[in-house]
Amino acid sequence: MFTPQADPQAWMAQFASQFADPNAWQSMLQTPQLDTRPFTATVKEFGATIDPSVAAKLQSDYMQEMSSLWQQVLAAKAPVIADKRFTSPEWQSNPLFAFNAAAYLLNARFLMAMADAVEATPRAKQKIRFAVQQMVDAMSPANFLVTNPEAQQKILATKGESLAKGIAHMLEDMQKGRISQTDESAFEVGRNVATSEGAVVFENELFQLIQYKPLTKSVYERPLLLVPPCINKFYILDLQPENSLVRHAVEQGHTVFLVSWVNPDASLGNKTWDDYILDGVVKAINVVQEISAQDQINALGFCVGGTLLSTALALLYGRGENPVASLTLLTTFLDFSDPGVIEVFIDEAQVSMREQQMGSGGLMPGRDFASAFSSLRPNDLVWNYVKANYLKGEAPPAFDLLYWNADSTNLPGPMFCWYLRNLYLENRLRKPGKVTVAGEKIDLSKIDAPTFIYGSREDHIVPWTAAYESVKLLNPKKRERNRFVLGASGHIAGVINPPAKKKRSYWSAEHSGDSAETWLAEAKETAGSWWPEWAAFLAENAGKQVPAPRKFGNAKYQPIEPAPGRYVKVKADK
């Protein structure tokens, strides 16, 4: 079986050996047996233990269930399989395949039960569970040609063509160094994604500032600045017209500006968190103020973009400035007490290793981010595509969101290491004065503006309960100025939910509670998109209506090039 890896090239190399080695096929045809040696090694690695009596009880239950499963097979009765990986009719067409799937699921339940039963610190236990889950997901018979009847049937039906295509797809991906999740030839930035009309009106070595063309005759006097995450390309906020948050805001009558972060190369490998605050967010705020001739603007930050924006605003308010009329934070960490499953990658040893590698200069490669995030949901983001692309020879369908997901970006090493240690590891941003940026002690409570805070209920990157903690950090003496909204789905799909789609739902409440759970108990669920709730909040703080600007920029900041600009088109592997 395949060991869990964080490197797609290693995954694909293992698949290449599977295609080529008949001995591997023979060993995998044997009756499924439970090998607990990897589990035992994992437990020992983290210095954990398991109560012998608990282990004995789990083993006894396992043997009873395995015996019952064998009885079903001997009676020619196919076991019931509810897992979506094994719902195709081919899994029930042969008792061996059905038994193989059922035995795997039994083994998986036993191993995860063992992981839950270990005695260790919470952090160690989380890492053990994560490592075991990676192993369990990788061992699925759906992931192997010799144990996947769907793939085998397709080989017969296509007279071997699907196998040839699968090998071709695998070789192509080995050249890319990643697993293809979508038909990347179907999209091009500026042609059919990131197509909202606009112009770059400012640029420095860290970002380009895009101003979008109005779609209404009049606009609100206060413009809206969007700060997307620097870990990804900005066009998640402007995929296609029907699901573009940028276009939606423009249609609501806002003059929209957006930060398009650079995809740094080695020449920017010494940039720091302070650089991203001062030369990035603060500079963008100042330019938007100058172009709009407004002392106050509205500002939105998404994910780490929200963390950068909040830090920049705390800096400015600490200096006595009052730059925003409202703040919107989408799936954003300000309090990193509960970083979710991504915590398995963050401890003193791992952060120190990164600091030694790149803390004084260098790049954090975008492909490493992509691999790490894929490992958080391996069945959906890795093995699903292995099965379809390689085993069944299917070409991945065109999907704009997954095209964006594969368009990774680098980060400067010093900036990335500061972010890991000060925020993720030591959680210093939530404590007034514990973080210093540009010589100013950062205090989030100094930000004096109505705030709209959004979390996604199934978010595995920023747990919604962690996003809710921002309610307590911002406007602490005026909690009524904070509005929290919870959307359905995950980190991205929950955010990109346009009203026209009439999908999902969201939860809202008149007041914020002392805890996320208290708030949810009082919240009301509403069908559809949360975007109208945000649009109403934004309109309340956007000022009066004025004639829409007829030109981009102003006398000082002239258009440089059409949107989406050059920076967003730079690939991480170039």
Side-chain angles (χ1 to χ4, degrees):
M1 296 299 184
F2 298 145
T3 55
Q5 302 282 344
D7 183 357
Q9 288 183 308
W11 274 325
M12 290 183 284
Q14 288 180 331
F15 272 97
S17 68
Q18 176 197 331
F19 278 115
D21 184 3
N23 293 326
W25 293 36
Q26 292 295 327
S27 64
M28 291 166 61
L29 280 171
Q30 296 173 0
T31 302
Q33 299 291 330
L34 180 60
D35 182 0
T36 60
R37 286 175 297 179
F39 172 82
T40 303
T42 300
V43 170
K44 289 182 177 179
E45 179 183 348
F46 289 101
T49 60
I50 185 167
D51 187 329
S53 63
V54 174
K57 176 65 166 59
L58 290 173
Q59 289 171 339
S60 176
D61 292 345
Y62 170 80
M63 293 306 298
Q64 289 182 20
E65 290 191 54
M66 180 59 78
S67 177
S68 175
L69 185 58
W70 266 115
Q71 293 300 318
Q72 292 182 57
V73 173
L74 294 174
K77 181 181 179 181
V80 177
I81 306 171
D83 192 287
K84 66 179 182 180
R85 289 170 290 180
F86 311 113
T87 54
S88 296
E90 290 87 349
W91 289 97
Q92 300 292 327
S93 64
N94 186 306
L96 175 62
F97 291 125
F99 170 71
N100 202 24
Y104 159 74
L105 293 173
L106 173 57
N107 292 343
R109 289 195 301 273
F110 173 76
L111 287 172
M112 294 310 300
M114 291 279 282
D116 290 334
V118 298
E119 297 173 356
T121 64
R123 183 181 288 265
K125 190 167 184 175
Q126 182 186 42
K127 290 191 175 186
I128 290 170
R129 201 178 194 286
F130 178 79
V132 173
Q133 187 69 65
Q134 294 288 308
M135 177 178 63
V136 164
D137 291 343
M139 288 168 60
S140 168
N143 299 338
F144 304 93
L145 182 61
V146 74
T147 53
N148 186 322
E150 297 176 68
Q152 294 175 18
Q153 289 283 358
K154 190 156 190 179
I155 290 174
L156 294 175
T158 63
K159 299 181 180 179
E161 183 179 356
S162 65
L163 179 60
K165 288 183 177 179
I167 294 173
H169 292 326
M170 182 178 64
L171 293 175
E172 290 172 3
D173 284 355
M174 291 182 77
Q175 291 292 321
K176 294 180 184 177
R178 55 184 168 81
I179 297 171
S180 297
Q181 298 175 335
T182 186
D183 178 8
E184 297 175 14
S185 66
F187 299 101
E188 181 184 348
V189 175
R191 179 175 63 84
N192 56 359
V193 291
T195 58
S196 291
E197 187 175 354
V200 174
V201 292
F202 172 83
E203 68 181 36
N204 62 20
E205 58 184 354
L206 284 183
F207 76 99
Q208 290 188 314
L209 183 68
I210 299 172
Q211 180 181 359
Y212 290 96
K213 182 179 179 180
L215 295 175
T216 53
K217 291 184 179 180
S218 61
V219 297
Y220 291 101
E221 62 179 339
R222 294 189 185 119
L224 170 64
L225 171 64
L226 305 180
V227 183
C230 52
I231 295 175
N232 305 100
K233 300 291 183 67
F234 82 78
Y235 62 90
I236 187 58
L237 298 175
D238 185 35
L239 286 169
Q240 298 187 72
E242 62 270 19
N243 60 357
S244 169
L245 185 65
V246 167
R247 184 178 179 87
H248 180 76
V250 172
E251 289 175 339
Q252 299 299 309
H254 298 282
T255 302
V256 177
F257 293 81
L258 180 143
V259 171
S260 173
W261 295 105
V262 72
N263 198 342
D265 58 19
S267 68
L268 300 175
N270 291 312
K271 293 298 180 181
T272 65
W273 182 266
D274 281 22
D275 292 326
Y276 272 71
I277 297 297
L278 290 175
D279 298 333
V281 181
V282 170
K283 185 62 180 179
I285 290 171
N286 292 339
V287 173
V288 172
Q289 288 173 318
E290 290 186 61
I291 291 176
S292 64
Q294 293 290 316
D295 293 332
Q296 285 194 318
I297 66 174
N298 293 298
L300 175 150
F302 182 12
C303 189
V304 67
T307 310
L308 286 163
L309 174 61
S310 299
T311 306
L313 291 177
L315 170 70
L316 294 175
Y317 277 95
R319 291 176 172 176
E321 300 181 38
N322 187 22
V324 295
S326 77
L327 170 63
T328 298
L329 298 177
L330 307 182
T331 62
T332 293
F333 274 129
L334 297 184
D335 185 334
F336 289 73
S337 299
D338 177 21
V341 69
I342 203 170
E343 188 177 29
V344 300
F345 296 120
I346 301 166
D347 57 27
E348 180 60 43
Q350 295 188 71
V351 172
S352 294
M353 178 191 69
R354 291 294 186 185
E355 289 173 334
Q356 292 174 7
Q357 290 175 337
M358 64 186 74
S360 299
L363 293 177
M364 174 63 182
R367 62 178 178 273
D368 287 4
F369 284 122
S371 295
F373 286 127
S374 291
S375 71
L376 301 180
R377 294 172 53 201
N379 281 331
D380 293 333
L381 298 178
V382 176
W383 301 115
N384 176 52
Y385 297 101
V386 165
K387 181 179 73 172
N389 299 5
Y390 307 157
L391 302 189
K392 299 172 72 175
E394 298 171 352
F399 188 14
D400 54 4
L401 195 152
L402 290 177
Y403 173 79
W404 165 84
N405 190 56
D407 195 2
S408 58
T409 60
N410 305 320
L411 279 184
M415 180 269 194
F416 176 66
C417 290
W418 190 98
Y419 177 50
L420 281 185
R421 176 166 293 282
N422 287 275
L423 305 190
Y424 268 103
L425 186 62
E426 299 180 1
N427 194 17
R428 296 163 64 89
L429 184 60
R430 70 185 177 100
K431 304 170 186 175
K434 292 297 183 181
V435 165
T436 300
V437 174
E440 185 77 35
K441 291 186 179 297
I442 299 301
D443 183 352
L444 295 172
S445 69
K446 291 185 178 180
I447 299 174
D448 184 16
T451 304
F452 185 100
I453 302 167
Y454 169 86
S456 288
R457 191 162 189 174
E458 299 166 32
D459 195 338
H460 66 292
I461 295 178
V462 181
W464 80 267
T465 50
Y468 185 84
E469 291 300 305
S470 298
V471 169
K472 305 174 188 178
L473 297 176
L474 301 168
N475 297 306
K477 296 180 180 180
K478 301 176 183 178
R479 289 275 291 275
E480 69 279 1
R481 302 181 81 191
N482 297 334
R483 178 166 178 75
F484 185 81
V485 169
L486 176 64
S489 197
H491 189 70
I492 300 300
V495 172
I496 308 304
N497 184 24
K501 298 283 187 179
K502 297 181 179 179
K503 295 176 65 177
R504 306 186 184 96
S505 61
Y506 67 93
W507 292 260
S508 59
E510 289 298 320
H511 306 287
S512 58
D514 292 332
S515 69
E517 292 73 18
T518 301
W519 176 89
L520 184 60
E522 299 177 358
K524 175 185 175 183
E525 183 177 5
T526 303
S529 170
W530 58 271
W531 288 13
E533 290 275 342
W534 172 65
F537 165 84
L538 203 58
E540 292 173 1
N541 299 285
K544 65 183 180 182
Q545 292 278 326
V546 296
R550 301 174 65 179
K551 296 181 180 180
F552 296 117
N554 61 11
K556 181 178 179 181
Y557 298 105
Q558 293 289 316
I560 298 171
E561 61 182 342
R566 306 183 314 281
Y567 286 15
V568 72
K569 297 180 181 181
V570 176
K571 299 296 182 181
D573 55 355
K574 293 291 181 69

